[in-house]
PDB file of all heavy atoms in Angstrom:
ATOM      1  N   PHE A 271    -110.467  27.230  99.009  1.00 97.00           N
ATOM      2  CA  PHE A 271    -111.229  28.498  98.635  1.00 97.00           C
ATOM      3  C   PHE A 271    -110.861  29.562  99.549  1.00 97.00           C
ATOM      4  O   PHE A 271    -110.558  29.407 100.738  1.00 97.00           O
ATOM      5  CB  PHE A 271    -112.760  28.195  98.779  1.00 97.00           C
ATOM      6  CG  PHE A 271    -113.386  27.085  97.990  1.00 97.00           C
ATOM      7  CD1 PHE A 271    -113.419  25.735  98.475  1.00 97.00           C
ATOM      8  CD2 PHE A 271    -113.748  27.262  96.695  1.00 97.00           C
ATOM      9  CE1 PHE A 271    -113.885  24.757  97.718  1.00 97.00           C
ATOM     10  CE2 PHE A 271    -114.236  26.271  95.841  1.00 97.00           C
ATOM     11  CZ  PHE A 271    -114.330  24.989  96.367  1.00 97.00           C
ATOM     12  N   ALA A 272    -110.884  30.760  98.992  1.00 98.00           N
ATOM     13  CA  ALA A 272    -110.546  32.000  99.829  1.00 98.00           C
ATOM     14  C   ALA A 272    -111.272  33.105  99.291  1.00 98.00           C
ATOM     15  O   ALA A 272    -111.496  33.199  97.995  1.00 98.00           O
ATOM     16  CB  ALA A 272    -108.990  32.237  99.807  1.00 98.00           C
ATOM     17  N   VAL A 273    -111.712  34.058 100.140  1.00 98.00           N
ATOM     18  CA  VAL A 273    -112.284  35.244  99.744  1.00 98.00           C
ATOM     19  C   VAL A 273    -111.864  36.395 100.707  1.00 98.00           C
ATOM     20  O   VAL A 273    -111.627  36.184 101.867  1.00 98.00           O
ATOM     21  CB  VAL A 273    -113.824  35.098  99.830  1.00 98.00           C
ATOM     22  CG1 VAL A 273    -114.337  34.801 101.261  1.00 98.00           C
ATOM     23  CG2 VAL A 273    -114.605  36.402  99.334  1.00 98.00           C
ATOM     24  N   SER A 274    -111.612  37.483 100.081  1.00 97.00           N
ATOM     25  CA  SER A 274    -111.032  38.669 100.779  1.00 97.00           C
ATOM     26  C   SER A 274    -111.795  39.949 100.405  1.00 97.00           C
ATOM     27  O   SER A 274    -112.235  40.032  99.242  1.00 97.00           O
ATOM     28  CB  SER A 274    -109.617  38.781 100.724  1.00 97.00           C
ATOM     29  OG  SER A 274    -109.175  39.030  99.351  1.00 97.00           O
ATOM     30  N   ARG A 275    -111.750  40.934 101.321  1.00 97.00           N
ATOM     31  CA  ARG A 275    -112.463  42.185 101.010  1.00 97.00           C
ATOM     32  C   ARG A 275    -111.708  43.309 101.622  1.00 97.00           C
ATOM     33  O   ARG A 275    -111.279  43.251 102.780  1.00 97.00           O
ATOM     34  CB  ARG A 275    -113.897  42.102 101.458  1.00 97.00           C
ATOM     35  CG  ARG A 275    -114.694  43.435 101.054  1.00 97.00           C
ATOM     36  CD  ARG A 275    -116.169  43.304 101.464  1.00 97.00           C
ATOM     37  NE  ARG A 275    -116.921  44.539 101.243  1.00 97.00           N
ATOM     38  CZ  ARG A 275    -117.442  44.814 100.043  1.00 97.00           C
ATOM     39  NH1 ARG A 275    -117.306  43.932  99.022  1.00 97.00           N
ATOM     40  NH2 ARG A 275    -118.072  45.938  99.916  1.00 97.00           N
ATOM     41  N   LYS A 276    -111.552  44.412 100.892  1.00 94.00           N
ATOM     42  CA  LYS A 276    -110.909  45.580 101.376  1.00 94.00           C
ATOM     43  C   LYS A 276    -111.903  46.555 102.129  1.00 94.00           C
ATOM     44  O   LYS A 276    -112.978  46.716 101.607  1.00 94.00           O
ATOM     45  CB  LYS A 276    -110.159  46.380 100.328  1.00 94.00           C
ATOM     46  CG  LYS A 276    -109.083  45.662  99.570  1.00 94.00           C
ATOM     47  CD  LYS A 276    -108.441  46.493  98.517  1.00 94.00           C
ATOM     48  CE  LYS A 276    -107.214  45.767  97.870  1.00 94.00           C
ATOM     49  NZ  LYS A 276    -106.612  46.696  96.785  1.00 94.00           N
ATOM     50  N   PHE A 277    -111.486  47.122 103.164  1.00 91.00           N
ATOM     51  CA  PHE A 277    -112.212  48.146 103.905  1.00 91.00           C
ATOM     52  C   PHE A 277    -111.380  49.328 104.169  1.00 91.00           C
ATOM     53  O   PHE A 277    -110.228  49.245 104.582  1.00 91.00           O
ATOM     54  CB  PHE A 277    -112.752  47.601 105.199  1.00 91.00           C
ATOM     55  CG  PHE A 277    -113.799  46.479 105.012  1.00 91.00           C
ATOM     56  CD1 PHE A 277    -113.453  45.164 105.008  1.00 91.00           C
ATOM     57  CD2 PHE A 277    -115.122  46.813 104.976  1.00 91.00           C
ATOM     58  CE1 PHE A 277    -114.368  44.170 104.871  1.00 91.00           C
ATOM     59  CE2 PHE A 277    -116.091  45.779 104.837  1.00 91.00           C
ATOM     60  CZ  PHE A 277    -115.700  44.459 104.705  1.00 91.00           C
ATOM     61  N   PHE A 278    -111.955  50.499 103.903  1.00 84.00           N
ATOM     62  CA  PHE A 278    -111.374  51.800 104.300  1.00 84.00           C
ATOM     63  C   PHE A 278    -109.902  51.960 103.597  1.00 84.00           C
ATOM     64  O   PHE A 278    -109.070  52.753 104.126  1.00 84.00           O
ATOM     65  CB  PHE A 278    -111.119  51.900 105.823  1.00 84.00           C
ATOM     66  CG  PHE A 278    -112.407  51.678 106.555  1.00 84.00           C
ATOM     67  CD1 PHE A 278    -112.423  50.552 107.455  1.00 84.00           C
ATOM     68  CD2 PHE A 278    -113.517  52.383 106.394  1.00 84.00           C
ATOM     69  CE1 PHE A 278    -113.595  50.279 108.169  1.00 84.00           C
ATOM     70  CE2 PHE A 278    -114.648  52.141 107.117  1.00 84.00           C
ATOM     71  CZ  PHE A 278    -114.720  51.030 107.980  1.00 84.00           C
ATOM     72  N   GLY A 279    -109.712  51.244 102.506  1.00 80.00           N
ATOM     73  CA  GLY A 279    -108.501  51.399 101.791  1.00 80.00           C
ATOM     74  C   GLY A 279    -107.226  50.663 102.270  1.00 80.00           C
ATOM     75  O   GLY A 279    -106.370  50.315 101.462  1.00 80.00           O
ATOM     76  N   GLU A 280    -107.165  50.469 103.642  1.00 85.00           N
ATOM     77  CA  GLU A 280    -106.000  49.814 104.207  1.00 85.00           C
ATOM     78  C   GLU A 280    -106.229  48.511 104.888  1.00 85.00           C
ATOM     79  O   GLU A 280    -105.318  47.683 104.972  1.00 85.00           O
ATOM     80  CB  GLU A 280    -105.360  50.755 105.256  1.00 85.00           C
ATOM     81  CG  GLU A 280    -104.914  52.082 104.685  1.00 85.00           C
ATOM     82  CD  GLU A 280    -104.134  52.949 105.686  1.00 85.00           C
ATOM     83  OE1 GLU A 280    -104.462  52.770 106.931  1.00 85.00           O
ATOM     84  OE2 GLU A 280    -103.500  53.959 105.363  1.00 85.00           O
ATOM     85  N   ASP A 281    -107.523  48.240 105.271  1.00 93.00           N
ATOM     86  CA  ASP A 281    -107.783  46.962 105.930  1.00 93.00           C
ATOM     87  C   ASP A 281    -108.243  45.953 104.949  1.00 93.00           C
ATOM     88  O   ASP A 281    -109.050  46.215 104.104  1.00 93.00           O
ATOM     89  CB  ASP A 281    -108.840  47.269 106.936  1.00 93.00           C
ATOM     90  CG  ASP A 281    -108.372  48.166 108.072  1.00 93.00           C
ATOM     91  OD1 ASP A 281    -108.230  49.394 107.843  1.00 93.00           O
ATOM     92  OD2 ASP A 281    -108.129  47.665 109.151  1.00 93.00           O
ATOM     93  N   VAL A 282    -107.856  44.704 105.160  1.00 96.00           N
ATOM     94  CA  VAL A 282    -108.229  43.603 104.384  1.00 96.00           C
ATOM     95  C   VAL A 282    -108.676  42.483 105.282  1.00 96.00           C
ATOM     96  O   VAL A 282    -107.933  41.975 106.195  1.00 96.00           O
ATOM     97  CB  VAL A 282    -107.162  43.065 103.449  1.00 96.00           C
ATOM     98  CG1 VAL A 282    -107.639  41.787 102.639  1.00 96.00           C
ATOM     99  CG2 VAL A 282    -106.752  44.168 102.466  1.00 96.00           C
ATOM    100  N   PHE A 283    -109.870  41.937 105.144  1.00 97.00           N
ATOM    101  CA  PHE A 283    -110.348  40.734 105.852  1.00 97.00           C
ATOM    102  C   PHE A 283    -110.431  39.594 104.864  1.00 97.00           C
ATOM    103  O   PHE A 283    -110.922  39.683 103.700  1.00 97.00           O
ATOM    104  CB  PHE A 283    -111.814  40.985 106.393  1.00 97.00           C
ATOM    105  CG  PHE A 283    -111.902  41.883 107.517  1.00 97.00           C
ATOM    106  CD1 PHE A 283    -112.058  43.343 107.249  1.00 97.00           C
ATOM    107  CD2 PHE A 283    -111.639  41.520 108.841  1.00 97.00           C
ATOM    108  CE1 PHE A 283    -111.968  44.206 108.403  1.00 97.00           C
ATOM    109  CE2 PHE A 283    -111.706  42.419 109.860  1.00 97.00           C
ATOM    110  CZ  PHE A 283    -111.892  43.785 109.692  1.00 97.00           C
TER     111      PHE A 283
END
Side-chain angles (χ1 to χ4, degrees):
F271 302 93
V273 58
S274 59
R275 183 175 177 85
K276 294 181 180 180
F277 291 91
F278 311 116
E280 296 181 343
D281 294 75
V282 177
F283 290 90

